[in-house]
């Protein structure tokens, strides 16, 4: 039986097993086995000889954003609207066959936007070019999941499942669990909070499934067995995601309002260029970039001379503004000869 068949059998057994106190240990072991098989599936095969067409694009700019979605949802059109890069767009599926980069210039920052080929169901198992697309998505700072507003929530759930199976956790924080394998001493288990989803026995069973018999485990929050498995595997990627619903000009206003109220959701129309400015604002917020200005806007040498004279300093002293109390050594600010051994408090 191959890895795909084993994964399918475990998923079926998980689906038909009732979730209660009596089956929580069995489900925990099944999830641990499933994570092991999925990790083996993603490993490159040693028999592969020739190099294929990769999606390797040099990371540039201040941040990288990946466009992920099913075919014909408007990714190429969105790239052409937001950047100066022209990506081929047509009415048939799989127009884009490789990774096409573009640059968004917003608030002084250069944001690299990657138009990736459309992925299909089963991409995590190697169907289509899904593995290459997902590999590029793992290197991004933010994922924009482009969805067709006319197809409801079906696309979103399928894409989330594909990304979840390859270790990409969308809009989640890393579990606050301390885990350290040891050479001896058995398994040391502690928790600083009451645990309702995971127990010491279940932790030991999961560790034994991974052939780990000596480790130190400390739960600092109430985490699930899935979270603990992610900590053991150690290759999970946690990143923010924006769910962008395109083609809102083809649905009713009630449906637009419902989609706009979804968590992390933004509604747009690339065809009619609707709500693109708001999407840029949300993207800036999710990237969490900070602008740092080294010079105050609109202040020239006359202002520096006036401020320096008020403080009894030469005009060619560099004047810097601070938002709070701070101590600045004038040895670093002096431009006119030897610096005095003094300091300036703002």
């Amino acid at each position: 039986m191959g890895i795909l068949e084993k994964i399918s059998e475990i998923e079926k057994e998980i689906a038909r097993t009732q979730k209660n106190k009596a089956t929580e240990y069995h489900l925990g072991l099944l999830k641990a086995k499933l994570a092991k098989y999925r990790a083996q599936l993603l490993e490159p095969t040693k028999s592969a000889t020739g190099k294929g067409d990769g999606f390797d694009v040099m990371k540039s700019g201040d941040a990288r954003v990946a466009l992920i979605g099913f075919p014909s949802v408007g990714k190429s059109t969105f790239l052409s609207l937001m950047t100066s890069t022209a990506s081929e767009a047509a009415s048939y599926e799989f127009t884009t066959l490789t990774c096409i980069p573009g640059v968004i210039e917003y608030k002084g920052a250069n944001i690299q936007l990657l138009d990736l080929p459309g992925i299909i169901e089963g991409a995590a198992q190697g169907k289509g070019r899904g593995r290459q697309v997902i590999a590029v998505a793992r290197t991004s700072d933010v994922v924009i999941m482009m969805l067709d507003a006319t197809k409801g929530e079906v696309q979103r759930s399928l894409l989330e499942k594909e990304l979840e199976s390859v270790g990409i956790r969308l809009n989640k924080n890393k579990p606050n669990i301390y885990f350290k394998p040891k050479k001896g001493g058995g398994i040391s288990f502690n928790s600083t909070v009451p645990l309702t989803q995971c127990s010491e026995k279940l932790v030991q069973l999961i560790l034994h499934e991974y052939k780990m018999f000596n480790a130190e485990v400390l739960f600092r929050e109430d985490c699930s067995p899935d979270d603990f498995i992610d900590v053991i595997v150690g290759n999970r990627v946690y990143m923010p995601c924006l769910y962008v619903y395109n083609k809102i000009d083809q649905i009713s206003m009630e449906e637009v309002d419902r989609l706009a109220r979804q968590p992390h959701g933004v509604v747009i129309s690339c065809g009619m260029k609707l709500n693109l400015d708001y999407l840029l604002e949300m993207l800036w917020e999710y990237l969490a970039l900070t602008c740092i200005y080294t010079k105050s806007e609109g202040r020239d040498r006359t202002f520096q001379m006036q401020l320096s004279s008020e403080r009894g300093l030469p005009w060619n002293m560099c004047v810097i503004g601070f938002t709070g109390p701070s101590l600045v050594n004038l040895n670093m600010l002096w431009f006119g000869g030897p610096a005095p051994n003094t300091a300036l408090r703002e």
Side-chain angles (χ1 to χ4, degrees), residues 81-150:
L81 289 175
M82 305 305 294
T83 70
S84 58
T85 304
S87 182
E88 184 180 357
S91 58
Y92 53 88
E93 295 185 349
F94 297 104
T95 310
T96 304
L97 299 177
T98 186
C99 178
I100 301 177
V103 177
I104 301 175
E105 297 180 0
Y106 186 69
K107 292 186 178 181
N110 293 325
I111 303 171
Q112 186 182 43
L113 183 65
L114 301 181
D115 179 18
L116 299 174
I119 63 178
I120 59 178
E121 187 176 359
Q125 283 73 38
K127 292 184 179 179
R129 310 192 76 176
R131 287 191 189 178
Q132 295 169 296
V133 173
I134 293 173
V136 174
R138 289 176 63 94
T139 66
S140 304
D141 300 301
V142 170
V143 169
I144 292 182
M145 188 179 292
M146 190 73 71
L147 304 168
D148 192 336
T150 63

Side-chain angles (χ1 to χ4, degrees), residues 22-87:
T23 61
E24 63 178 6
Y25 301 112
H26 179 61
L27 288 173
L29 289 178
L30 290 177
K31 291 177 180 178
K33 291 181 180 179
L34 185 61
K36 286 178 58 178
Y37 288 137
R38 283 175 173 170
Q40 295 176 14
L41 186 65
L42 294 176
E43 292 177 356
T45 56
K46 296 181 180 179
S47 61
T49 55
K51 287 187 176 180
D53 296 331
F55 289 166
D56 294 336
V57 176
M58 182 178 295
K59 193 171 184 178
S60 63
D62 305 299
R64 169 179 278 193
V65 178
L67 274 174
I68 289 182
F70 283 96
S72 298
V73 293
K75 299 186 300 296
S76 300
T77 305
F78 178 76
L79 179 74
S80 301
L81 289 175
M82 305 305 294
T83 70
S84 58
T85 304
S87 182

Side-chain angles (χ1 to χ4, degrees), residues 109-299:
N110 293 325
I111 303 171
Q112 186 182 43
L113 183 65
L114 301 181
D115 179 18
L116 299 174
I119 63 178
I120 59 178
E121 187 176 359
Q125 283 73 38
K127 292 184 179 179
R129 310 192 76 176
R131 287 191 189 178
Q132 295 169 296
V133 173
I134 293 173
V136 174
R138 289 176 63 94
T139 66
S140 304
D141 300 301
V142 170
V143 169
I144 292 182
M145 188 179 292
M146 190 73 71
L147 304 168
D148 192 336
T150 63
K151 296 184 179 180
E153 301 292 330
V154 179
Q155 291 186 342
R156 175 172 173 171
S157 59
L158 290 175
L159 287 173
E160 285 179 337
K161 182 180 178 181
E162 295 296 329
L163 298 180
E164 187 86 9
S165 63
V166 295
I168 297 180
R169 304 294 182 255
L170 301 178
N171 298 319
K172 292 182 179 179
N173 296 322
K174 187 176 181 179
N176 194 359
I177 301 175
Y178 174 77
F179 172 73
K180 182 180 179 181
K182 299 188 299 182
K183 295 183 178 179
I187 297 175
S188 174
F189 177 83
N190 288 291
S191 63
T192 59
V193 295
L195 300 180
T196 60
Q197 307 177 66
C198 213
S199 64
E200 182 177 358
K201 181 180 177 181
L202 181 55
V203 167
Q204 292 177 352
L205 290 175
I206 293 175
L207 288 175
H208 292 169
E209 180 65 30
Y210 281 89
K211 303 297 187 291
M212 295 181 180
F213 304 97
N214 303 283
E216 186 176 350
V217 181
L218 174 61
F219 277 67
R220 296 192 180 100
E221 63 179 352
D222 188 13
C223 297
S224 65
D226 294 328
D227 296 330
F228 181 60
I229 293 172
D230 289 345
V231 173
I232 295 175
V233 176
N235 63 349
R236 305 312 192 204
V237 178
Y238 300 85
M239 62 177 60
C241 174
L242 273 173
Y243 301 97
V244 179
Y245 296 91
N246 189 24
K247 305 179 183 179
I248 60 172
D249 53 303
Q250 302 178 19
I251 59 177
S252 64
M253 288 300 299
E254 291 77 10
E255 184 67 10
V256 171
D257 182 69
R258 187 187 69 83
L259 294 176
R261 296 179 184 276
Q262 295 289 326
H264 314 287
V266 179
V267 293
I268 66 168
S269 173
C270 292
M272 300 184 67
K273 301 180 181 179
L274 298 177
N275 215 29
L276 297 179
D277 293 339
Y278 177 70
L279 174 56
L280 271 180
E281 294 178 6
M282 291 294 295
L283 179 60
W284 179 265
E285 179 180 342
Y286 275 58
L287 285 171
L289 295 177
T290 302
C291 292
I292 300 177
Y293 299 95
T294 57
K295 293 183 180 179
S296 301
E297 185 178 0
R299 295 185 176 182

